[in-house]
Amino acid sequence: MGKVIHIVLWKLKRPSILTSTSTEEVLAQAKQAISALKNVPGPETMHLGPPLIDARAKGFDWGLYSVFSSREALDKYAVSEAHVKVVTENVRPNVDDVMAYDWELNE
């Protein structure tokens, strides 16, 4: 079995017209909150960032790329207390849509 690539893309929430917070501030706060995933043990490597080419991003504002040693390591990470806590408290409150995509490297 090879390593597993785990990619997640998020469409971040925009501020409502009822707030005085600017869109840039809201997006910056959302990105900072989601970045707490970097502290969750499990992946061999993890990178977060915005799309390089907005025209191809289909509205997704922020992405995660991570590598796991195996499918079992990804499965363990997904249900770990630390991951579930960050997703519940930091990620979900800041996103409108999410897409995840995983595949195994056949090396």
Side-chain angles (χ1 to χ4, degrees):
M1 265 192 237
K3 293 187 180 204
V4 172
I5 304 300
H6 174 62
I7 293 181
V8 182
L9 302 175
W10 296 283
K11 290 183 183 179
L12 303 177
K13 287 185 179 178
R14 299 311 198 251
S16 74
I17 58 172
L18 303 175
T19 71
S20 61
T21 309
S22 72
T23 298
E24 293 78 22
E25 288 175 303
V26 169
L27 295 179
Q29 290 169 0
K31 291 171 184 178
Q32 182 64 35
I34 292 170
S35 292
L37 285 167
K38 290 181 182 179
N39 299 320
V40 177
E44 292 182 356
T45 186
M46 179 183 288
H47 303 279
L48 291 141
L52 180 62
I53 304 170
D54 285 332
R56 296 183 354 185
K58 298 196 176 207
F60 288 95
D61 306 289
W62 199 239
L64 172 144
Y65 167 88
S66 55
V67 179
F68 289 83
S69 61
S70 65
R71 167 70 189 267
E72 291 77 21
L74 173 61
D75 290 344
K76 184 177 176 181
Y77 166 83
V79 298
S80 72
E81 184 178 334
H83 179 255
V84 171
K85 179 178 167 99
V86 170
V87 168
T88 302
E89 295 177 7
N90 297 64
V91 178
R92 285 188 188 147
N94 290 291
V95 300
D96 279 331
D97 195 11
V98 63
M99 180 176 70
Y101 192 95
D102 308 296
W103 75 91
E104 185 176 17
L105 296 176
N106 295 316
E107 297 180 25

